Short mmCIF file of all heavy atoms in Angstrom, two decimals:
data_model
loop_
_atom_site.label_atom_id
_atom_site.label_comp_id
_atom_site.label_asym_id
_atom_site.label_seq_id
_atom_site.Cartn_x
_atom_site.Cartn_y
_atom_site.Cartn_z
N GLY F 27 30.83 31.06 -4.16
CA GLY F 27 31.51 32.39 -4.19
C GLY F 27 32.06 32.68 -5.56
O GLY F 27 32.13 31.82 -6.48
N PRO F 28 32.58 33.90 -5.78
CA PRO F 28 33.04 34.25 -7.03
C PRO F 28 34.32 33.46 -7.51
O PRO F 28 34.60 33.28 -8.66
CB PRO F 28 33.46 35.76 -6.88
CG PRO F 28 33.50 36.01 -5.47
CD PRO F 28 32.63 34.98 -4.83
N SER F 29 35.08 32.90 -6.53
CA SER F 29 36.24 32.16 -6.86
C SER F 29 35.99 30.73 -7.11
O SER F 29 36.90 29.93 -7.41
CB SER F 29 37.30 32.32 -5.80
OG SER F 29 36.81 31.83 -4.57
N GLY F 30 34.72 30.26 -6.88
CA GLY F 30 34.42 28.85 -7.12
C GLY F 30 34.96 27.93 -6.06
O GLY F 30 35.35 26.79 -6.29
N GLY F 31 35.04 28.43 -4.80
CA GLY F 31 35.68 27.65 -3.72
C GLY F 31 34.80 26.44 -3.34
O GLY F 31 33.75 26.25 -3.93
N ASN F 32 35.22 25.71 -2.35
CA ASN F 32 34.55 24.50 -1.95
C ASN F 32 33.20 24.82 -1.22
O ASN F 32 33.04 25.84 -0.75
CB ASN F 32 35.45 23.69 -0.97
CG ASN F 32 36.61 23.06 -1.61
OD1 ASN F 32 36.57 22.83 -2.87
ND2 ASN F 32 37.75 22.91 -0.94
N PHE F 33 32.30 23.74 -1.21
CA PHE F 33 31.05 23.88 -0.59
C PHE F 33 31.19 24.14 0.90
O PHE F 33 32.00 23.64 1.61
CB PHE F 33 30.22 22.61 -0.78
CG PHE F 33 29.04 22.49 0.03
CD1 PHE F 33 27.91 23.07 -0.38
CD2 PHE F 33 29.09 21.74 1.22
CE1 PHE F 33 26.78 22.95 0.38
CE2 PHE F 33 27.94 21.66 1.97
CZ PHE F 33 26.74 22.30 1.56
N SER F 34 30.33 25.11 1.39
CA SER F 34 30.29 25.34 2.80
C SER F 34 28.87 25.45 3.27
O SER F 34 28.09 26.26 2.81
CB SER F 34 30.96 26.73 3.14
OG SER F 34 30.72 27.12 4.39
N ALA F 35 28.50 24.45 4.17
CA ALA F 35 27.08 24.46 4.63
C ALA F 35 26.76 25.75 5.37
O ALA F 35 25.62 26.15 5.36
CB ALA F 35 26.95 23.28 5.57
N LYS F 36 27.67 26.41 5.93
CA LYS F 36 27.45 27.60 6.74
C LYS F 36 26.93 28.69 5.88
O LYS F 36 26.23 29.59 6.28
CB LYS F 36 28.63 28.00 7.53
CG LYS F 36 29.01 27.02 8.66
CD LYS F 36 30.25 27.48 9.38
CE LYS F 36 30.62 26.55 10.54
NZ LYS F 36 31.83 26.93 11.25
N SER F 37 27.41 28.77 4.59
CA SER F 37 27.07 29.90 3.73
C SER F 37 25.76 29.58 2.97
O SER F 37 25.31 30.43 2.25
CB SER F 37 28.22 30.10 2.70
OG SER F 37 28.36 28.98 1.86
N ALA F 38 25.20 28.38 3.11
CA ALA F 38 23.88 28.07 2.47
C ALA F 38 22.80 28.30 3.41
O ALA F 38 22.91 28.04 4.60
CB ALA F 38 23.97 26.70 1.95
N SER F 39 21.62 28.63 2.89
CA SER F 39 20.45 28.91 3.75
C SER F 39 19.63 27.61 3.81
O SER F 39 19.29 27.06 2.80
CB SER F 39 19.60 30.07 3.12
OG SER F 39 18.30 30.00 3.60
N PHE F 40 19.24 27.29 5.10
CA PHE F 40 18.32 26.16 5.24
C PHE F 40 17.02 26.42 4.54
O PHE F 40 16.41 25.58 3.88
CB PHE F 40 18.11 25.94 6.79
CG PHE F 40 16.99 24.97 7.09
CD1 PHE F 40 17.16 23.62 6.89
CD2 PHE F 40 15.75 25.38 7.65
CE1 PHE F 40 16.14 22.69 7.17
CE2 PHE F 40 14.79 24.49 7.90
CZ PHE F 40 14.99 23.15 7.68
N GLN F 41 16.49 27.63 4.73
CA GLN F 41 15.20 27.98 4.06
C GLN F 41 15.22 27.89 2.55
O GLN F 41 14.34 27.44 1.88
CB GLN F 41 14.67 29.34 4.57
CG GLN F 41 14.17 29.33 5.96
CD GLN F 41 12.87 28.48 6.19
OE1 GLN F 41 12.07 28.44 5.26
NE2 GLN F 41 12.83 27.84 7.30
N ASP F 42 16.43 28.30 1.95
CA ASP F 42 16.59 28.18 0.59
C ASP F 42 16.59 26.66 0.07
O ASP F 42 15.99 26.34 -0.95
CB ASP F 42 17.86 28.82 0.13
CG ASP F 42 17.75 30.36 -0.02
OD1 ASP F 42 16.64 30.81 -0.09
OD2 ASP F 42 18.83 31.02 -0.04
N ALA F 43 17.22 25.84 0.91
CA ALA F 43 17.22 24.45 0.66
C ALA F 43 15.80 23.89 0.65
O ALA F 43 15.42 23.12 -0.33
CB ALA F 43 18.14 23.66 1.66
N VAL F 44 15.00 24.29 1.68
CA VAL F 44 13.65 23.76 1.79
C VAL F 44 12.80 24.29 0.60
O VAL F 44 11.93 23.60 0.04
CB VAL F 44 13.01 24.09 3.14
CG1 VAL F 44 11.61 23.63 3.25
CG2 VAL F 44 13.83 23.53 4.24
N ARG F 45 12.95 25.59 0.23
CA ARG F 45 12.20 26.15 -0.83
C ARG F 45 12.50 25.38 -2.14
O ARG F 45 11.62 25.09 -2.99
CB ARG F 45 12.54 27.57 -1.05
CG ARG F 45 11.87 28.44 0.02
CD ARG F 45 12.04 29.93 -0.30
NE ARG F 45 11.64 30.77 0.83
CZ ARG F 45 12.40 31.33 1.75
NH1 ARG F 45 13.79 31.12 1.62
NH2 ARG F 45 11.99 31.96 2.75
N THR F 46 13.82 25.09 -2.38
CA THR F 46 14.18 24.33 -3.55
C THR F 46 13.61 22.91 -3.49
O THR F 46 13.08 22.40 -4.54
CB THR F 46 15.70 24.29 -3.66
OG1 THR F 46 16.27 25.64 -3.66
CG2 THR F 46 16.11 23.60 -5.01
N LEU F 47 13.69 22.31 -2.32
CA LEU F 47 13.09 20.95 -2.20
C LEU F 47 11.57 21.05 -2.55
O LEU F 47 11.04 20.08 -3.21
CB LEU F 47 13.29 20.48 -0.77
CG LEU F 47 12.58 19.22 -0.30
CD1 LEU F 47 13.13 17.99 -1.13
CD2 LEU F 47 12.68 19.00 1.18
N ASN F 48 10.97 22.05 -2.14
CA ASN F 48 9.43 22.17 -2.37
C ASN F 48 9.14 22.21 -3.78
O ASN F 48 7.97 21.90 -4.23
CB ASN F 48 8.89 23.37 -1.61
CG ASN F 48 8.79 23.09 -0.14
OD1 ASN F 48 8.92 21.97 0.35
ND2 ASN F 48 8.66 24.13 0.68
N THR F 49 10.06 22.72 -4.69
CA THR F 49 9.72 22.76 -6.11
C THR F 49 9.64 21.33 -6.68
O THR F 49 9.24 21.19 -7.77
CB THR F 49 10.86 23.52 -6.83
OG1 THR F 49 12.07 22.88 -6.75
CG2 THR F 49 10.97 24.93 -6.31
N LEU F 50 10.07 20.34 -5.91
CA LEU F 50 10.04 18.92 -6.38
C LEU F 50 8.61 18.31 -6.07
O LEU F 50 8.34 17.24 -6.47
CB LEU F 50 11.08 18.10 -5.71
CG LEU F 50 12.48 18.57 -5.95
CD1 LEU F 50 13.52 17.65 -5.31
CD2 LEU F 50 12.88 18.75 -7.41
N GLN F 51 7.76 19.09 -5.36
CA GLN F 51 6.43 18.60 -5.21
C GLN F 51 5.73 18.71 -6.49
O GLN F 51 5.94 19.60 -7.31
CB GLN F 51 5.66 19.51 -4.13
CG GLN F 51 6.19 19.41 -2.74
CD GLN F 51 5.48 20.27 -1.81
OE1 GLN F 51 4.27 20.49 -2.02
NE2 GLN F 51 6.08 20.85 -0.80
N THR F 52 4.80 17.77 -6.73
CA THR F 52 4.04 17.73 -8.03
C THR F 52 2.93 18.72 -7.90
O THR F 52 2.15 18.76 -6.99
CB THR F 52 3.44 16.34 -8.19
OG1 THR F 52 4.52 15.37 -7.97
CG2 THR F 52 2.93 16.18 -9.60
N ASN F 53 2.80 19.58 -8.92
CA ASN F 53 1.72 20.59 -8.85
C ASN F 53 0.41 19.94 -9.16
O ASN F 53 0.33 18.76 -9.61
CB ASN F 53 2.04 21.82 -9.81
CG ASN F 53 1.99 21.37 -11.29
OD1 ASN F 53 1.18 20.55 -11.63
ND2 ASN F 53 2.80 22.09 -12.13
N ALA F 54 -0.65 20.67 -8.85
CA ALA F 54 -1.96 20.07 -8.87
C ALA F 54 -2.44 19.56 -10.20
O ALA F 54 -2.89 18.40 -10.23
CB ALA F 54 -2.95 21.14 -8.42
N SER F 55 -2.15 20.26 -11.24
CA SER F 55 -2.62 19.77 -12.54
C SER F 55 -1.88 18.59 -12.97
O SER F 55 -2.38 17.61 -13.56
CB SER F 55 -2.57 20.85 -13.55
OG SER F 55 -1.27 21.31 -13.71
N TYR F 56 -0.55 18.52 -12.77
CA TYR F 56 0.24 17.41 -13.16
C TYR F 56 -0.08 16.19 -12.32
O TYR F 56 -0.14 15.03 -12.85
CB TYR F 56 1.73 17.75 -13.01
CG TYR F 56 2.66 16.69 -13.42
CD1 TYR F 56 2.70 16.22 -14.75
CD2 TYR F 56 3.53 16.05 -12.49
CE1 TYR F 56 3.57 15.25 -15.17
CE2 TYR F 56 4.31 14.99 -12.92
CZ TYR F 56 4.36 14.63 -14.20
OH TYR F 56 5.25 13.64 -14.61
N LEU F 57 -0.40 16.43 -11.03
CA LEU F 57 -0.79 15.31 -10.18
C LEU F 57 -2.02 14.62 -10.65
O LEU F 57 -2.18 13.43 -10.75
CB LEU F 57 -0.94 15.78 -8.74
CG LEU F 57 -1.19 14.68 -7.67
CD1 LEU F 57 0.02 13.81 -7.42
CD2 LEU F 57 -1.59 15.36 -6.34
N LYS F 58 -3.01 15.45 -11.08
CA LYS F 58 -4.28 14.95 -11.63
C LYS F 58 -4.04 14.09 -12.83
O LYS F 58 -4.65 13.08 -13.13
CB LYS F 58 -5.21 16.08 -11.87
CG LYS F 58 -6.59 15.69 -12.27
CD LYS F 58 -7.50 16.87 -12.52
CE LYS F 58 -8.92 16.47 -12.88
NZ LYS F 58 -9.75 17.64 -13.03
N GLN F 59 -3.10 14.63 -13.71
CA GLN F 59 -2.82 13.94 -14.95
C GLN F 59 -2.16 12.61 -14.68
O GLN F 59 -2.48 11.56 -15.32
CB GLN F 59 -1.86 14.83 -15.79
CG GLN F 59 -1.44 14.15 -17.11
CD GLN F 59 -0.38 15.00 -17.79
OE1 GLN F 59 -0.14 16.13 -17.47
NE2 GLN F 59 0.24 14.40 -18.87
N MET F 60 -1.24 12.56 -13.74
CA MET F 60 -0.55 11.31 -13.40
C MET F 60 -1.53 10.29 -12.88
O MET F 60 -1.32 9.09 -13.13
CB MET F 60 0.55 11.65 -12.30
CG MET F 60 1.78 12.36 -12.92
SD MET F 60 2.65 11.40 -14.16
CE MET F 60 3.34 10.14 -13.10
N LYS F 61 -2.52 10.70 -12.05
CA LYS F 61 -3.47 9.73 -11.53
C LYS F 61 -4.27 9.12 -12.63
O LYS F 61 -4.66 7.96 -12.53
CB LYS F 61 -4.36 10.40 -10.52
CG LYS F 61 -3.68 10.60 -9.15
CD LYS F 61 -4.67 11.11 -8.06
CE LYS F 61 -3.98 11.17 -6.72
NZ LYS F 61 -5.01 11.78 -5.66
N SER F 62 -4.62 9.91 -13.66
CA SER F 62 -5.40 9.37 -14.74
C SER F 62 -4.61 8.53 -15.75
O SER F 62 -5.15 7.82 -16.54
CB SER F 62 -6.14 10.50 -15.51
OG SER F 62 -5.16 11.40 -16.11
N GLN F 63 -3.27 8.73 -15.71
CA GLN F 63 -2.39 7.99 -16.65
C GLN F 63 -1.29 7.26 -15.84
O GLN F 63 -0.10 7.43 -16.14
CB GLN F 63 -1.78 8.98 -17.60
CG GLN F 63 -2.79 9.72 -18.43
CD GLN F 63 -2.18 10.85 -19.36
OE1 GLN F 63 -0.99 11.09 -19.23
NE2 GLN F 63 -2.91 11.40 -20.24
N GLN F 64 -1.68 6.49 -14.88
CA GLN F 64 -0.64 5.82 -14.13
C GLN F 64 0.03 4.73 -15.02
O GLN F 64 -0.56 3.93 -15.62
CB GLN F 64 -1.36 5.09 -12.92
CG GLN F 64 -1.65 6.06 -11.83
CD GLN F 64 -2.22 5.39 -10.55
OE1 GLN F 64 -1.93 4.22 -10.37
NE2 GLN F 64 -2.94 6.10 -9.74
N GLY F 65 1.41 4.83 -14.88
CA GLY F 65 2.21 3.86 -15.68
C GLY F 65 2.51 2.66 -14.84
O GLY F 65 1.91 2.39 -13.76
N ASP F 66 3.38 1.84 -15.38
CA ASP F 66 3.84 0.67 -14.64
C ASP F 66 4.54 1.07 -13.35
O ASP F 66 5.58 1.73 -13.41
CB ASP F 66 4.76 -0.17 -15.53
CG ASP F 66 5.31 -1.44 -14.87
OD1 ASP F 66 4.76 -1.80 -13.76
OD2 ASP F 66 6.19 -2.12 -15.47
N PRO F 67 3.99 0.66 -12.14
CA PRO F 67 4.58 1.01 -10.95
C PRO F 67 6.00 0.50 -10.71
O PRO F 67 6.85 1.11 -10.12
CB PRO F 67 3.63 0.57 -9.80
CG PRO F 67 2.82 -0.53 -10.51
CD PRO F 67 2.75 -0.12 -11.95
N GLN F 68 6.24 -0.67 -11.35
CA GLN F 68 7.59 -1.28 -11.25
C GLN F 68 8.60 -0.37 -11.95
O GLN F 68 9.80 -0.27 -11.48
CB GLN F 68 7.61 -2.63 -11.93
CG GLN F 68 8.91 -3.42 -11.82
CD GLN F 68 9.27 -3.71 -10.29
OE1 GLN F 68 8.39 -4.07 -9.54
NE2 GLN F 68 10.54 -3.59 -9.94
N THR F 69 8.22 0.33 -12.99
CA THR F 69 9.08 1.29 -13.62
C THR F 69 9.55 2.38 -12.75
O THR F 69 10.68 2.81 -12.72
CB THR F 69 8.38 1.86 -14.84
OG1 THR F 69 7.92 0.84 -15.73
CG2 THR F 69 9.33 2.80 -15.65
N LYS F 70 8.58 2.88 -11.86
CA LYS F 70 8.95 3.86 -10.89
C LYS F 70 10.01 3.41 -9.85
O LYS F 70 10.86 4.17 -9.45
CB LYS F 70 7.73 4.33 -10.21
CG LYS F 70 6.69 5.00 -11.19
CD LYS F 70 5.35 5.40 -10.42
CE LYS F 70 4.36 5.93 -11.36
NZ LYS F 70 3.05 6.21 -10.79
N LEU F 71 9.82 2.13 -9.50
CA LEU F 71 10.83 1.53 -8.59
C LEU F 71 12.21 1.45 -9.26
O LEU F 71 13.23 1.75 -8.60
CB LEU F 71 10.35 0.15 -8.12
CG LEU F 71 10.81 -0.28 -6.74
CD1 LEU F 71 10.50 0.68 -5.70
CD2 LEU F 71 10.17 -1.65 -6.43
N GLU F 72 12.22 1.10 -10.51
CA GLU F 72 13.50 1.04 -11.25
C GLU F 72 14.10 2.43 -11.38
O GLU F 72 15.31 2.63 -11.33
CB GLU F 72 13.24 0.46 -12.64
CG GLU F 72 12.92 -1.01 -12.63
CD GLU F 72 13.93 -1.93 -11.89
OE1 GLU F 72 15.13 -1.73 -12.03
OE2 GLU F 72 13.51 -2.81 -11.10
N ALA F 73 13.17 3.41 -11.56
CA ALA F 73 13.69 4.84 -11.70
C ALA F 73 14.39 5.25 -10.34
O ALA F 73 15.41 5.98 -10.30
CB ALA F 73 12.53 5.73 -11.96
N MET F 74 13.84 4.77 -9.19
CA MET F 74 14.43 5.09 -7.96
C MET F 74 15.84 4.51 -7.81
O MET F 74 16.74 5.17 -7.30
CB MET F 74 13.55 4.56 -6.78
CG MET F 74 14.06 4.91 -5.39
SD MET F 74 14.17 6.72 -5.06
CE MET F 74 14.67 6.63 -3.36
N LYS F 75 15.99 3.32 -8.31
CA LYS F 75 17.34 2.70 -8.33
C LYS F 75 18.39 3.54 -9.16
O LYS F 75 19.45 3.63 -8.80
CB LYS F 75 17.31 1.31 -8.83
CG LYS F 75 16.52 0.35 -7.91
CD LYS F 75 16.39 -1.10 -8.49
CE LYS F 75 15.60 -1.97 -7.57
NZ LYS F 75 15.41 -3.35 -8.18
N LEU F 76 17.82 4.07 -10.32
CA LEU F 76 18.67 4.91 -11.11
C LEU F 76 19.09 6.24 -10.44
O LEU F 76 20.16 6.69 -10.47
CB LEU F 76 18.04 5.16 -12.45
CG LEU F 76 17.75 3.98 -13.44
CD1 LEU F 76 16.97 4.44 -14.65
CD2 LEU F 76 19.16 3.47 -13.83
#
Side-chain angles (χ1 to χ4, degrees):
S29 60
N32 291 332
F33 167 83
S34 169
K36 292 181 180 178
S37 64
S39 160
F40 169 72
Q41 287 295 322
D42 279 344
V44 177
R45 287 190 188 97
T46 305
L47 171 66
N48 286 345
T49 64
L50 303 181
Q51 295 182 32
T52 312
N53 69 35
S55 58
Y56 181 64
L57 187 66
K58 186 176 180 180
Q59 178 187 349
M60 287 297 290
K61 282 187 176 181
S62 63
Q63 301 175 350
Q64 284 186 22
D66 180 8
Q68 186 63 40
T69 303
K70 297 175 184 177
L71 208 54
E72 293 303 317
M74 181 64 177
K75 294 178 183 177
L76 291 175

